Amino acid sequence: MQVILTVTMNAALDVTYELDSVNWKSVNRVRTVRNCAGGKGINVARLLKALGRRVMVSGLAGGATGAALRAELSKDGIADALVPIAGESRRTLAIVTTDEATLLNEPGPTVSAREWRHFYDHFTTLVEDADAVVLSGSLPPGVPLDAYAVLGKAARRLGAPVVLDTSGRALTEGLIAHPVVVKPNKEELVSATGFEETLAATAALRRSGAENVVASLGDQGLLADTTEGCWRAVPPRRLVGNATGAGDGVVAALVAGLVDESPWPRRLVEATALSAASVIEPKAGSADLDVYRQFREEVTLESCSR
Ligand SMILES: Nc1ncnc2c1ncn2[C@@H]1O[C@H](COP(=O)(O)OP(=O)(O)OP(=O)(O)O)[C@@H](O)[C@H]1O
Ligand SMILES: [Mg+2]
């Protein structure tokens, strides 16, 4: 079976505290504590695993938090080739009550130039066994802003197609490596190109190096601007849930479609269904597979004119 390699340069241990309510000025009793390995590439890998795909997770992990997140990956049966660093991996803390959620995200460790070079060497060996590579999420301090361009070029040279999902300079620099698929959301599109109009923005990203662009537009679904045509995919209804990490569902389905070489319309239906199914699930990186199967039959797909 084909292997999909996902890279998470800023991996995290996602800690969730569940309580009935919080009194911010007093002592609170936490009802349940849940730990889970997080970061976009890891979430993509978890979704791919749920679809029965073979995955390999890489990126950076350090300290006791790094060890804890690796232990969580192993519990989930996900093969990890995370590279050790001296700094302590970050934690994200979600404080969830019956009616609200508060997120506290640690900044993450600073990565040394030596650690980055070591990661690069490690990455090139991993890519040799990979059929596709997902580069997603933010870059921690110390990792060069053109990291995704450097990794993307190496992957291209070694014959592995790249899916890129990031924002800001990491995105604009990453385009230099000509990723096969780029998956910005609305905000990332506008800030990378200056164009408010989605098709004008996707065209600009393609001129800057993206081979195909799949823009995710929240509950409006997807707009794909590809070498084979342009389509809109719309979910059958708006779902209420946790939309954080819905983009990871899009990326997981797109990379699966890429290795299968399935036609674009099929990939887009899959991506819309899987991302909607991940909105339903409270935890990022997991999806309600019944909703996924049902939505695959109900997503509307239409061609758009450029
Ligand atoms: N409320 C919703 N109901 C149904 N589908 C949704 C909803 N919100 C998002 N989706 C699906 O998930 C996809 C990705 O969502 P969105 O554009 O918000 O991604 P994102 O901003 O990259 O998310 P993140 O970076 O947090 O993973 C959408 O294109 C759509 O198909
Ligand atoms: Mg996103």
Side-chain angles (χ1 to χ4, degrees):
M1 203 198 293
Q2 284 136 324
V3 179
I4 296 166
L5 172 67
T6 76
V7 170
T8 314
M9 297 307 283
N10 217 349
L13 181 70
D14 291 340
V15 181
T16 306
Y17 281 2
E18 288 178 3
L19 324 75
D20 294 326
S21 61
V22 181
N23 180 343
W24 292 101
K25 293 191 179 136
S26 180
V27 175
N28 295 274
R29 189 170 291 276
V30 175
R31 186 158 29 91
T32 323
V33 182
R34 284 181 219 285
N35 288 338
C36 181
K40 286 190 178 298
I42 288 175
N43 292 341
V44 170
R46 196 177 294 109
L47 285 164
L48 285 166
K49 172 126 200 307
L51 297 183
R53 303 282 173 159
R54 264 182 75 193
V55 287
M56 175 64 75
V57 160
S58 193
L60 306 171
T65 310
L69 81 86
R70 296 178 81 158
E72 292 300 324
L73 282 174
S74 145
K75 271 191 229 164
D76 290 344
I78 294 177
D80 123 49
L82 289 159
V83 172
I85 51 169
E88 181 81 23
S89 288
R90 69 193 172 112
R91 284 168 300 187
T92 73
L93 178 61
I95 301 169
V96 180
T97 65
T98 30
D99 53 5
E100 58 187 8
T102 305
L103 270 175
L104 302 170
N105 289 349
E106 294 181 5
T110 298
V111 178
S112 72
R114 209 173 131 259
E115 288 169 332
W116 158 246
R117 280 197 302 275
H118 180 57
F119 174 78
Y120 175 80
D121 291 341
H122 190 72
F123 173 81
T124 53
T125 30
L126 289 173
V127 170
E128 287 183 17
D129 295 323
D131 295 280
V133 176
V134 173
L135 302 174
S136 63
S138 59
L139 299 172
V143 170
L145 284 168
D146 67 349
Y148 288 145
V150 173
L151 299 177
K153 279 184 202 160
R156 176 170 274 271
R157 193 175 64 242
L158 296 163
V162 168
V163 179
L164 176 67
D165 175 14
T166 187
S167 55
R169 281 283 296 281
L171 167 59
T172 47
E173 299 273 341
L175 298 176
I176 295 166
H178 298 286
V180 174
V181 181
V182 177
K183 203 292 296 161
N185 64 19
K186 181 75 199 174
E187 195 187 322
E188 289 155 354
L189 261 186
V190 177
S191 84
T193 65
F195 290 112
E196 286 287 338
E197 206 265 310
T198 307
L199 264 176
T202 58
L205 286 192
R206 293 186 66 203
R207 281 195 301 275
S208 303
E211 212 169 291
N212 303 284
V213 178
V214 179
S216 71
L217 309 171
D219 59 12
Q220 307 290 299
L222 302 172
L223 189 150
D225 184 353
T226 80
T227 50
E228 283 162 35
C230 178
W231 294 272
R232 266 177 201 284
V234 183
R237 58 182 183 275
R238 181 179 189 280
L239 296 171
V240 179
N242 175 20
T244 307
D248 303 330
V250 175
V251 171
L254 291 179
V255 72
L258 183 63
V259 296
D260 291 350
E261 297 180 36
S262 57
W264 270 104
R266 184 76 236 150
R267 296 186 202 183
L268 300 171
V269 168
E270 290 282 322
T272 309
L274 187 63
S275 55
S278 80
V279 171
I280 293 273
E281 279 288 320
K283 197 171 101 180
S286 49
D288 181 320
L289 294 182
D290 289 332
V291 171
Y292 163 62
R293 285 186 209 102
Q294 185 202 338
F295 270 39
R296 280 159 106 193
E297 311 299 322
E298 295 176 10
V299 169
T300 327
L301 190 82
E302 48 188 67
S303 305
C304 45
S305 49
R306 279 193 273 243

